[in-house]
Amino acid sequence: MTEKYLKNIRNFLGGIFIVVVTFALDFGREFLLPVTLAFFIALTFRPTVRKLHKHNIPGWLATAAFMTVVIIAGIAAIYTVSGPIADWVSNAPTYIKAFAEKLTAIRDSIESFINFSAQLQNTTDVSSPTLAVPVVVENNSPVMSFIAQGTGYSADVVTTIVLTLVIAAFMMASGDLFYEKLIRVMPTLTDKKRALRIVYDVEQEVSAYLLIVTAINAGLGIAVAIAFYFLGMPAPWLWGIFAFLFNFIPYVGALAGIALSGFMAVTVFDSLTYALAVPLAYAVINGLENQFVTPVFLGRRLQMNSVAILLALTFWSWEWGIAGTMLAVPILVTVKVFCDHLDGMKGVGEFLSERQSQVPDQAEPLNQNT
């Protein structure tokens, strides 16, 4: 009875702890978001900084070089996409009207077919269904307001980016100070070795994961840009950047890219059949990357369970918005690596892992006669 009572108390306290952490993440968003972003940036480049330090390159110099490259690349990307995005936002009513007119043409074709079928059946009381397609779109529509807010540069976003880069720079330039402090805190030599092994494995595996995913997404963006160039899509390089960014968000990012490219293709091309080739090309390239490229270069060890990914995407997008959506999988990978190194959490790590190609229970049984 006592053990059962204590177990219920632990479960109750665990539930309260989860609720408190959830509200704390939302309450401390302005502080925790840049710190988390900085942590993953530092985690990604820290092994490279350490290798450069072994070749007598100071950590602060390597950090400054990395930060310079990141800042220049960020400014160049913003400058490159700001013009086309501003044009899209300003001409969105025209695009939506053109898209609606294309759907109206489809509606008329369907109505003509229905009327023709009704005449063949000699029916006189047939009311053809009507597809309600809005054609007139006003500039002050809620859709336009949402797009303008989503693409605008606010002071909060700029502050978050600056804080993230500053914190990441200090984390990378600090060297192995964190590891040295961790070793001093641990009471026994066994604990020191175990803690150091865990943090190094987390650093190496998460860094490898983020770098490989970034390289794969860059390749995907280049492939999409080339495909859209030959299909005649305007600003194909911009679609390559979108594909690169969207692919950091599993499942949702691919669907967003297919839907957005399909919408723009319908408004650009006169032929609806030819326009459908654009989202189809995007889907084929993304499918090839997901089914063949990622398993080959990333391996099965750090690939996540799809259910766990969807749950993480839902939770972190609810907590931190778009930034949380992009951080969901890196956070999930970090949790999995920790769980794989802790005996009491290996069950959680197994749940987060992707399904193995062959489980032990389904393996071919041994010959009992030998």
Side-chain angles (χ1 to χ4, degrees):
M1 180 65 67
T2 303
E3 293 181 358
K4 183 178 180 180
Y5 178 76
L6 292 176
K7 183 178 180 181
N8 293 333
I9 292 295
R10 286 195 298 267
N11 293 336
F12 177 74
L13 293 177
I16 293 178
F17 176 76
I18 293 175
V19 173
V20 171
V21 169
T22 301
F23 280 99
L25 289 173
D26 182 62
F27 179 77
R29 172 180 177 175
E30 295 182 0
F31 168 75
L32 294 175
L33 181 56
V35 170
T36 306
L37 287 170
F39 169 77
F40 282 110
I41 293 175
L43 201 66
T44 302
F45 295 107
R46 182 60 200 153
T48 305
V49 173
R50 185 181 295 109
K51 291 180 181 179
L52 293 176
H53 182 69
K54 292 180 179 179
H55 292 82
N56 297 325
I57 299 178
W60 64 267
L61 181 59
T63 301
F66 278 119
M67 288 295 103
T68 302
V69 172
V70 170
I71 292 173
I72 293 176
I75 294 175
I78 293 174
Y79 177 79
T80 302
V81 304
S82 59
I85 290 179
D87 179 71
W88 285 4
V89 173
S90 61
N91 295 322
T94 304
Y95 293 143
I96 297 176
K97 183 178 180 179
F99 184 79
E101 289 175 351
K102 295 290 181 64
L103 293 185
T104 303
I106 299 175
R107 179 198 66 185
D108 294 339
S109 301
I110 294 175
E111 288 181 348
S112 300
F113 176 76
I114 293 175
N115 291 331
F116 178 73
S117 300
Q119 292 176 3
L120 289 179
Q121 295 176 3
N122 295 324
T123 57
T124 59
D125 191 22
V126 175
S127 59
S128 60
T130 302
L131 298 179
V133 179
V135 176
V136 179
V137 181
E138 299 180 356
N139 290 332
N140 57 354
S141 64
V143 176
M144 290 304 306
S145 300
F146 175 78
I147 293 176
Q149 293 176 2
T151 56
Y153 297 104
S154 64
D156 293 338
V157 174
V158 176
T159 302
T160 300
I161 293 175
V162 172
L163 285 177
T164 299
L165 295 178
V166 171
I167 297 173
F170 274 93
M171 285 183 176
M172 287 189 291
S174 63
D176 294 331
L177 179 63
F178 171 77
Y179 304 139
E180 294 174 1
K181 298 297 183 181
L182 182 64
I183 291 175
R184 293 181 182 179
V185 169
M186 291 299 160
T188 64
L189 181 61
T190 302
D191 293 335
K192 295 178 188 293
K193 292 181 179 179
R194 184 179 184 183
L196 197 60
R197 183 173 64 252
I198 291 175
V199 294
Y200 269 119
D201 287 347
V202 169
E203 180 186 86
Q204 293 175 1
E205 297 193 21
V206 175
S207 173
Y209 172 84
L210 293 176
L211 289 175
I212 292 174
V213 167
T214 301
I216 292 174
N217 293 350
L220 175 71
I222 293 173
V224 169
I226 293 174
F228 281 16
Y229 172 79
F230 285 106
L231 289 173
M233 280 288 288
W237 45 266
L238 181 62
W239 290 104
I241 295 176
F242 282 162
F244 169 76
L245 296 176
F246 285 160
N247 211 45
F248 280 101
I249 307 175
Y251 310 125
V252 179
L255 294 177
I258 293 171
L260 184 59
S261 62
F263 171 81
M264 292 301 299
V266 170
T267 62
V268 169
F269 300 112
D270 296 331
S271 173
L272 182 62
T273 303
Y274 187 83
L276 293 177
V278 173
L280 180 61
Y282 193 109
V284 170
I285 295 173
N286 192 273
L288 292 174
E289 174 271 323
N290 188 45
Q291 297 297 324
F292 298 100
V293 178
T294 297
V296 169
F297 288 95
L298 190 60
R300 298 288 179 179
R301 187 162 52 101
L302 281 180
Q303 288 192 342
M304 300 289 103
N305 182 354
S306 58
V307 176
I309 291 177
L310 291 176
L311 292 176
L313 288 173
T314 304
F315 176 78
W316 289 108
S317 62
W318 173 62
E319 285 283 356
W320 291 347
I322 297 177
T325 305
M326 300 188 71
L327 284 172
V329 176
I331 292 175
L332 200 64
V333 172
T334 305
V335 172
K336 181 186 178 300
V337 174
F338 267 106
C339 292
D340 290 340
H341 286 82
L342 300 176
D343 295 335
M345 300 294 293
K346 286 187 176 181
V348 178
E350 179 61 27
F351 171 77
L352 298 178
S353 301
E354 188 182 35
R355 178 181 297 176
Q356 300 295 326
S357 59
Q358 183 181 24
V359 296
D361 294 337
Q362 296 177 348
E364 183 178 355
L366 297 174
N367 190 350
Q368 301 295 331
N369 297 326
T370 58

